[in-house]
Amino acid sequence: MGTSGTAPLRAVFFDRDGTLIHDVPYNADPRRVRPMPRARESLQRLRSRGIPIGVLSNQSGIGRGILTAAEVVAVNNRIEQLLGPLDLWIICPHVPADRCPCRKPAPGMVLKACTTLGVSPSETALIGDIGSDMEAAQVSGSRGILVPTPATRAAEVAAAIDVAADLEAAVDLLLKAVAGGTES
């Protein structure tokens, strides 16, 4: 798996907004959380195979003073209520001007997730909806799978190595590779 295509899949990371849930900019209200179609089932397929799953999310609303960390945690808790337990949450609260090493497209969150779970980036995949997700995957050594939404730019789709129509198709790509192409 991974960028070389040879390492086993040992963890899958997801972007939050626009990937696991519908994007509500700077959402501080757990009642506004709406999962993407088949998100729960897609995550369950990974869980049932013992593959850890986590969320890596830029949350610049914290750094901008629009959201509090507690509000982000409340939204994340609602996501887990709707989608089931996640093994890992890593949030970057910084604004782009901070140029922190964790904010996607930098590799920091991917690398921290890998360290936390004791896996190599080449044994992981990052599923997201925009180019910065794919860049973070690439520079960290993880496999990136783009799931475009109306917010995804055409250039981001063209630049992506792997593109899936939806979350379920992205998980299909990963599980088929794990099973040597035999997963149905």
Side-chain angles (χ1 to χ4, degrees):
M1 203 65 230
T3 55
S4 68
T6 59
L9 180 65
R10 296 195 47 216
V12 179
F13 309 127
F14 294 86
D15 174 55
R16 191 186 89 168
D17 303 309
T19 302
L20 286 179
I21 62 170
H22 289 274
D23 189 10
V24 175
Y26 306 115
N27 184 18
D29 183 355
R31 295 170 299 183
R32 296 184 72 193
V33 172
R34 291 182 341 186
M36 295 301 259
R38 308 240 346 121
R40 184 177 181 88
E41 296 83 357
S42 297
L43 295 179
Q44 187 54 38
R45 289 175 64 207
L46 295 167
R47 285 185 197 104
S48 71
R49 287 161 177 80
I51 299 170
I53 51 178
V55 175
L56 313 180
S57 183
N58 289 344
Q59 292 295 319
S60 69
I62 297 170
R64 296 174 200 277
I66 299 169
L67 300 168
T68 67
E71 289 169 328
V72 171
V73 168
V75 167
N76 293 347
N77 288 341
R78 179 64 179 151
I79 292 167
E80 286 204 46
Q81 288 174 352
L82 295 169
L83 300 182
L86 293 143
D87 298 291
L88 177 73
W89 285 91
I90 299 180
I91 303 301
C92 173
H94 303 104
V95 298
D98 291 339
R99 295 195 164 129
C100 74
C102 62
R103 184 177 172 78
K104 294 179 285 182
M109 283 193 280
V110 176
L111 298 175
K112 181 177 180 181
C114 289
T115 298
T116 300
L117 294 175
V119 299
S120 166
S122 66
E123 299 171 313
T124 69
L126 172 59
I127 299 173
D129 66 321
I130 60 174
S132 65
D133 298 319
M134 298 306 97
E135 290 176 51
Q138 182 179 21
V139 297
S140 68
S142 181
R143 177 181 182 181
I145 300 178
L146 183 71
V147 178
T149 67
T152 311
R153 296 188 326 257
E156 294 171 326
V157 176
I161 294 170
D162 288 315
V163 179
D166 55 29
L167 197 54
E168 186 174 34
V171 171
D172 285 346
L173 277 175
L174 294 173
L175 293 180
K176 284 179 182 173
V178 167
T182 59
E183 223 272 330
S184 56

